[in-house]
Amino acid sequence: MRNKEKGFSLLELMTTIAIVAIIGAVGFPAIDNFGDQENYENDLATIRGQINYVRQLSLEDGNAYTIRIINDTSNNTADLEVWQAQGLNRYNVEYHKSTSTKCSDFDGTDDKGTKIASLTKKLQHMTIKRCSSTTGNCTAVSAANNFFCFLPDGSAPENARGEMQSSDNAGSKKEYLHTYQTGFFNNGTRM
């Protein structure tokens, strides 16, 4: 009886290394891209959650609210601050619709309301600039007017659009956020 040696031949070892290299070359970019998509989706979920929550607040307590977007373009992040209307007009839907830059004056003295710091959410990989129109290229409004408003009845004073720009580690995507007078919103193509 002959003793057989146990082990791999050089050909088997080279074949195994080649297969592992091919799988790595194909799989690594997909895994790397997965992290970018996850970063993008996390920020998008934060935006959706913040809008839904603030809209619900306006319906529950009958106040007007704004979500003010404070962009940090050097880090490609943003804070989504929640501001609540104060004063006699805080429940007045028509008043907020009539102010020049709708919802910009919450109490009649150029006041933007009271900030509720505990409700601020942070976007880790994205900035949002509100556009001056709902069509065409996005011309950003001033930083003071970079907000979306919800009226005391949960509606919005006007149709609006914002340009969302994600960082390199979130896919470098540019997409639009649309709000409608009904209070409904979506991202992507305007409905």
Side-chain angles (χ1 to χ4, degrees):
M1 215 184 251
R2 202 170 100 183
N3 229 357
K4 289 190 173 184
E5 291 183 34
K6 294 182 180 181
F8 296 105
S9 70
L10 184 57
L11 180 60
E12 290 171 325
L13 189 59
M14 296 288 284
T15 303
T16 302
I17 291 172
I19 289 171
V20 169
I22 291 169
I23 290 171
V26 171
F28 183 73
I31 291 169
D32 188 43
N33 197 18
F34 176 74
D36 291 353
Q37 184 64 26
E38 185 176 349
N39 290 340
Y40 180 80
E41 291 295 330
N42 285 340
D43 273 0
L44 198 54
T46 299
I47 294 166
R48 289 178 181 147
Q50 189 74 324
I51 291 173
N52 281 326
Y53 185 72
V54 171
R55 183 168 183 259
Q56 186 64 33
L57 277 177
S58 70
L59 285 166
E60 287 177 4
D61 67 17
N63 268 333
Y65 286 88
T66 58
I67 299 174
R68 294 192 172 272
I69 302 149
I70 312 303
N71 291 317
D72 178 354
T73 54
S74 61
N75 293 314
N76 211 48
T77 63
D79 288 336
L80 305 178
E81 298 178 346
V82 177
W83 291 74
Q84 180 184 30
Q86 300 297 308
L88 296 175
N89 288 310
R90 67 183 179 267
Y91 308 122
N92 187 336
V93 170
E94 294 306 315
Y95 171 80
H96 297 296
K97 285 182 180 180
S98 69
T99 57
S100 180
T101 304
K102 296 176 180 3
C103 289
S104 61
D105 181 3
F106 270 172
D107 72 355
T109 61
D110 295 327
D111 189 8
K112 58 186 178 184
T114 301
K115 179 180 172 183
I116 306 173
S118 62
L119 297 182
T120 297
K121 299 291 181 196
K122 182 112 177 144
L123 300 179
Q124 300 295 326
H125 308 283
M126 190 181 294
T127 58
I128 303 171
K129 61 181 180 181
R130 183 170 168 174
C131 307
S132 59
S133 74
T134 57
T135 59
N137 292 331
C138 183
T139 303
V141 299
S142 69
N145 293 326
N146 196 26
F147 63 83
F148 294 96
C149 179
F150 292 94
L151 299 171
D153 62 1
S155 67
E158 61 189 339
N159 293 334
R161 176 175 66 139
E163 184 179 85
M164 303 181 299
Q165 177 65 55
S166 65
S167 63
D168 292 343
N169 59 351
S172 297
K173 295 180 183 180
K174 185 182 287 186
E175 189 174 33
Y176 290 104
L177 171 68
H178 306 280
T179 62
Y180 305 88
Q181 287 181 312
T182 59
F184 176 75
F185 67 96
N186 75 300
N187 61 292
T189 305
R190 188 164 194 83
M191 296 181 164

